[in-house]
Amino acid sequence: MVRLSWTNKKDLDVNELKDNSITFERVKLIRPINSSGEMINVWSNKLFWGDNKLVIFYLLSKFTDKINLIYIDPPFATGSDYILKIRMDGNILKEFGYKDNWGKNLDIYLQMMYERLILMKELLTSNGLIIIHLDWHVSHYIRAILDEIFGKDRFVNEIIWYYYNKYSAGKKNLPRAHDNILIYSKGKSYTFNEFRILRDKPVKQLMRESVNGVLKNVKDENGHVKYRIVHDKKADDVWRIPCIQPASSEWTGYPTQKHPMLLERLIQIGSNEGDLIADFFCGSGTTLHVAEKLNRKWIGCDNSKYAISIAIQKFLKQRVRNSRDNDYYPIELLAIKNEKTLKVFNSGFFNKTIEILRGK
Ligand SMILES: C[S@@+](CC[C@H](N)C(=O)[O-])C[C@H]1O[C@@H](n2cnc3c(N)ncnc32)[C@H](O)[C@@H]1O
């Protein structure tokens, strides 16, 4: 078997981690089900603020084999950290967004991903899928790691997301205009729904029918083959979807925010209504918002307070806009209570309106 190696590669002992007593507590009820905030016997969608390694350890006690679909869009190891320009309390501030500079070699990045992917596998149902969104920087390494963790026979697809509307310089190479989205299954059988997309132009297709298990052309009473006009086709593994633009009503300004259309496809293909979806690098919460729209339950996590704040703001806006809000599950914000996090809660940070501005 081929195994990717890196300096200080370490195995992860899941049993040892399960003994770890980290507790995440509800620090805010973002969308109570009624004015008294009762939540008896009701599922609540969960948004974790914290390092996803700790969050996944914590979830293992209750959610092992329970999550139907995991989508993650981790840092791509681009070599540059993300700085946010934000407006808050009438001030314009520059704040650290998230880390994507991992030093000269990729050892730390690969170990970080390796440990988390091992843990995420534990959370998946036996027919669950994991979707990992990357680009040219490390998708080849992560694919080798996924082969090791899930088995190379569990590879389902590599989707090429071609974003035709993003400028990309390339003097000594062709402009890079796609991301690589890897899909692996936990078990041999898994949820996989057909997804159809509109064709650029309708096509005329021969009508076929199955006669005793053999496909035959359908003919009219005069013996002429019959045709039908087809407007859509089964989606293949190259998707032409734009990058989200500032003019879009869905735009949050969060760096590397993904287009909801992309998540709609992935969630519809890999899960059914009522299923539980998780995104442990949720950023502005695109996966969670789409999961909710498509009637899936969800768990989200990010270690940036700005990401969490943007995701919450979007949920609250949706509640105002959407008359169906009584159909939605409550949302809890969970975190480890310590000096650092309490300082943020006590400052009222998660009740403030934050705007992410363009430019430097
Ligand atoms: C590429 S962005 C996700 C963007 C998201 N898909 C969206 O549409 O907005 C990656 C996110 O992972 C978060 N992140 C990085 N390392 C993390 C960790 N160890 N635990 C939790 N979140 C992490 C970052 O804060 C960042 O928001």
Side-chain angles (χ1 to χ4, degrees), residues 45-243:
N45 290 323
K46 298 173 201 333
L47 186 56
F48 286 88
W49 175 36
D51 184 338
N52 49 20
K53 187 170 163 186
L54 302 180
V55 170
I56 302 170
F57 293 170
Y58 172 76
L59 289 174
L60 282 174
S61 65
K62 275 200 185 149
F63 289 92
T64 293
D65 298 333
K66 293 278 189 301
I67 299 183
N68 304 90
L69 175 69
I70 297 178
Y71 165 88
I72 55 166
D73 172 25
F76 287 5
T78 59
S80 307
D81 295 334
Y82 287 88
I83 305 298
L84 307 176
K85 184 175 167 192
I86 60 164
R87 188 182 350 251
M88 184 172 73
D89 293 336
N91 301 314
I92 294 185
L93 311 165
K94 283 212 175 142
E95 296 287 323
F96 187 78
Y98 70 87
K99 173 183 162 76
D100 206 8
N101 179 355
W102 303 84
K104 273 209 177 110
N105 55 41
L106 286 169
D107 299 354
I108 296 172
Y109 177 86
L110 295 175
Q111 185 68 29
M112 181 280 286
M113 289 298 291
Y114 183 58
E115 291 176 358
R116 284 156 178 80
L117 289 168
I118 291 174
L119 290 168
M120 285 182 214
K121 185 181 174 192
E122 296 295 304
L123 294 177
L124 279 180
T125 54
S126 56
N127 64 347
L129 287 180
I130 185 160
I131 305 178
I132 300 99
H133 190 142
L134 296 160
D135 74 358
W136 61 273
H137 290 90
V138 286
S139 63
H140 50 311
Y141 294 133
I142 299 297
R143 183 157 170 192
I145 290 177
L146 288 162
D147 279 355
E148 178 189 323
I149 299 173
F150 286 82
K152 72 177 176 49
D153 296 342
R154 296 290 177 259
F155 170 78
V156 176
N157 269 123
E158 175 170 3
I159 294 170
I160 301 301
W161 168 29
Y162 167 49
Y163 32 74
Y164 51 88
N165 63 338
K166 186 173 159 192
Y167 171 76
S168 165
K171 281 190 184 150
K172 293 277 188 186
N173 58 271
L174 299 174
R176 295 178 175 129
H178 75 269
D179 281 1
N180 308 65
I181 302 175
L182 302 168
I183 309 184
Y184 277 72
S185 64
K186 180 162 169 183
K188 215 171 178 176
S189 66
Y190 49 88
T191 302
F192 207 85
N193 303 315
E194 182 178 292
F195 193 88
R196 300 192 71 81
I197 53 169
L198 273 183
R199 291 173 177 273
D200 295 337
K201 276 193 215 145
V203 293
K204 201 170 149 189
Q205 261 180 9
L206 272 173
M207 283 173 72
R208 312 267 280 163
E209 64 182 351
S210 171
V211 180
N212 300 328
V214 181
L215 268 184
K216 298 214 160 140
N217 292 341
V218 178
K219 295 191 177 159
D220 64 16
E221 57 279 11
N222 301 319
H224 299 130
V225 287
K226 283 173 78 173
Y227 292 91
R228 61 184 182 147
I229 303 298
V230 182
H231 295 268
D232 63 359
K233 63 174 183 181
K234 202 172 159 178
D236 58 24
D237 59 1
V238 180
W239 294 0
R240 191 175 184 279
I241 293 178
C243 278

Side-chain angles (χ1 to χ4, degrees), residues 50-52 73 98 254 256-258 281-284 286 302-303:
D51 184 338
N52 49 20
D73 172 25
Y98 70 87
Y254 196 75
T256 71
Q257 179 193 353
K258 298 300 175 296
F281 293 86
C282 74
S284 62
T286 312
D302 204 287
N303 60 359

